[in-house]
Amino acid sequence: MAELMLYTNPMSRGRIARLMLEEVGEPYRTKIVAFGPSMHAPDYLAINPMGKVPALKHGDTIVTECAAICAYLADTFPKAGLAPTAEERGAYYRWMFFAAGPLEAAVTNRSLGVEVAADRRRMVGYGSFGAVMNTLEQAVSDNPYIAGDRFTAADVYLGSQIGWGLQFGTIDKRPVFEAYYSRLAGRPAWQRAKSLDDAAMADMPRTGR
């Protein structure tokens, strides 16, 4: 079986990729890449020319971007049951890419203090922060999980975004968001992934932070 190697940093979106790997349950190795010169060294730029983490190497295949890593692992290891069924596929892809596009863009701009003028909202993919929050609330209110009654890789990605937003105050602390995230955070894989990344963060030298 081809080796799975995760290039990550515990203070990054790499936590999402590790979480997905823990949910998949296949053996993998981890290489912690420090911020700064290490991410822009030639050997790592050969993995990800963007000079950022995470990146996943599976044999000769390299996948970057957290949403893509989640979808790739779900498809590559179907026995984990994280890929969508035919009935779930529409909601699965809809909300996976909503999280990767409008949600992340709206949250990032809000965090940076970027306010889009009302007459320019057509120029951004999310319109307004309020519209994104209201859409997200409706999305996680319809079913226990984002694609229906069953946990999928889309919940890994969307749930991570909501969890971070609740933790750092970058999304509204609405009861429906907290209820949705609570269904995910207690999963054994989520607890393992958090413990592994917390331990890796504690072991990092201060010069690498």
Side-chain angles (χ1 to χ4, degrees), residues 4 19 22 30 41 57 74 77 89 93 100 102 107-108 115-116 118 135 137 150-151 159 179 182-183 186 194 203 208:
L4 284 164
L19 173 54
E22 289 295 322
T30 304
K57 193 170 189 290
F77 300 100
R89 195 170 295 140
Y93 284 113
V107 167
T108 299
E115 293 291 339
V116 180
T135 301
E137 179 172 5
R150 193 176 65 88
F151 178 87
S182 71
R183 289 194 286 275
K194 183 179 186 301
D203 288 342

Side-chain angles (χ1 to χ4, degrees), residues 71 74-75 81-93 147 150 152-154:
D75 290 344
L82 299 170
T85 64
E87 293 76 18
E88 296 165 337
R89 195 170 295 140
Y92 174 94
Y93 284 113
R150 193 176 65 88
T152 67

Side-chain angles (χ1 to χ4, degrees), residues 4 11 19 29 33 41 45 78 96 103 118 125 138 149 155 159 166 199:
L4 284 164
M11 298 178 68
L19 173 54
R29 293 200 300 128
V33 186
L45 290 177
M96 176 90 77
L103 177 58
Q138 181 178 340
D149 293 329
D155 293 293
L166 292 172

Side-chain angles (χ1 to χ4, degrees), residues 104-207:
E104 179 152 354
V107 167
T108 299
N109 279 353
R110 181 70 170 264
S111 299
L112 294 173
V114 176
E115 293 291 339
V116 180
D119 62 347
R120 309 300 292 274
R121 287 176 180 171
R122 288 181 297 176
M123 297 181 66
V124 295
Y126 63 86
S128 71
F129 182 83
V132 170
M133 290 297 104
N134 291 338
T135 301
L136 182 62
E137 179 172 5
Q138 181 178 340
V140 299
S141 298
D142 290 342
N143 296 291
Y145 299 102
I146 198 61
D149 293 329
R150 193 176 65 88
F151 178 87
T152 67
D155 293 293
V156 173
Y157 188 71
L158 180 67
S160 296
Q161 298 274 25
I162 290 176
W164 282 350
L166 292 172
Q167 180 180 354
F168 295 109
T170 55
I171 70 167
D172 300 342
K173 288 194 173 182
R174 302 185 184 186
V176 69
F177 297 158
E178 295 176 319
Y180 170 70
Y181 184 67
S182 71
R183 289 194 286 275
L184 311 180
R187 293 176 63 84
W190 291 55
Q191 295 297 311
R192 290 195 305 271
K194 183 179 186 301
S195 294
L196 289 167
D197 275 323
D198 287 351
M201 188 161 61
D203 288 342
M204 291 179 66
R206 291 191 178 273
T207 54

